[in-house]
Amino acid sequence: MLPDATPAEVVSGLTGAGYKCGAEPPYAICTADTVSIWVLTGSHNRPPVVSLHATGPIEKATADLSAKLPRALELAHINPRTPIVDWFGKLGGKPTDQLTAGDWQADWSAEVVDTDEPGAHLTLVDKLCKVNCQAE
């Protein structure tokens, strides 16, 4: 079990792991290869939202996210990690799904090629957050 990490500490960890980070307020956006990780910034004890995105055909985008997911969850200090990684590995081509693991809600969506942004999206939301928990 990892201790909570502030949004700034998460971004610092992602940078240290080789991600290139920039800001698009209220998010810090960190990218490595084809995967970007969006971290909702603020003065929270831990980030209220951590969202992973990969563009392209669903199969490739899902595989790209799968490769980055365990380390991304570790860097973001999201507990528990194993149920989220296991669930993600069993999605089996579903276009949407949802999981609650500990204090986190995981939302999955896959966009088909003929949409505006084809790819895969996994958003983790801290269910304990009560103030400034979502971007406007």
Side-chain angles (χ1 to χ4, degrees), residues 58 90-96 108 110:
I58 294 171
K90 295 176 185 173
L91 286 171
K94 291 182 186 177
T96 63
W108 161 254

Side-chain angles (χ1 to χ4, degrees), residues 69-89:
L69 182 61
R71 183 72 173 135
L73 295 177
E74 181 182 353
L75 292 167
H77 288 216
I78 292 176
N79 298 300
R81 292 176 300 285
T82 302
I84 297 169
V85 172
D86 290 349
W87 163 79
F88 190 83

Side-chain angles (χ1 to χ4, degrees), residues 16-105:
Y19 284 79
K20 289 182 176 40
C21 296
E24 189 172 309
Y27 285 95
I29 302 172
C30 301
T31 305
D33 304 319
T34 61
V35 175
S36 64
I37 301 175
W38 294 44
V39 179
L40 185 61
T41 58
S43 60
H44 299 78
N45 291 335
R46 63 184 184 184
V49 178
V50 175
S51 188
L52 291 83
H53 306 273
T55 58
I58 294 171
E59 295 79 18
K60 180 174 180 345
T62 302
D64 291 348
L65 284 186
S66 183
K68 300 282 187 192
L69 182 61
R71 183 72 173 135
L73 295 177
E74 181 182 353
L75 292 167
H77 288 216
I78 292 176
N79 298 300
R81 292 176 300 285
T82 302
I84 297 169
V85 172
D86 290 349
W87 163 79
F88 190 83
K90 295 176 185 173
L91 286 171
K94 291 182 186 177
T96 63
D97 204 356
Q98 191 174 73
L99 170 79
T100 298
D103 300 329
W104 295 91
Q105 177 178 313

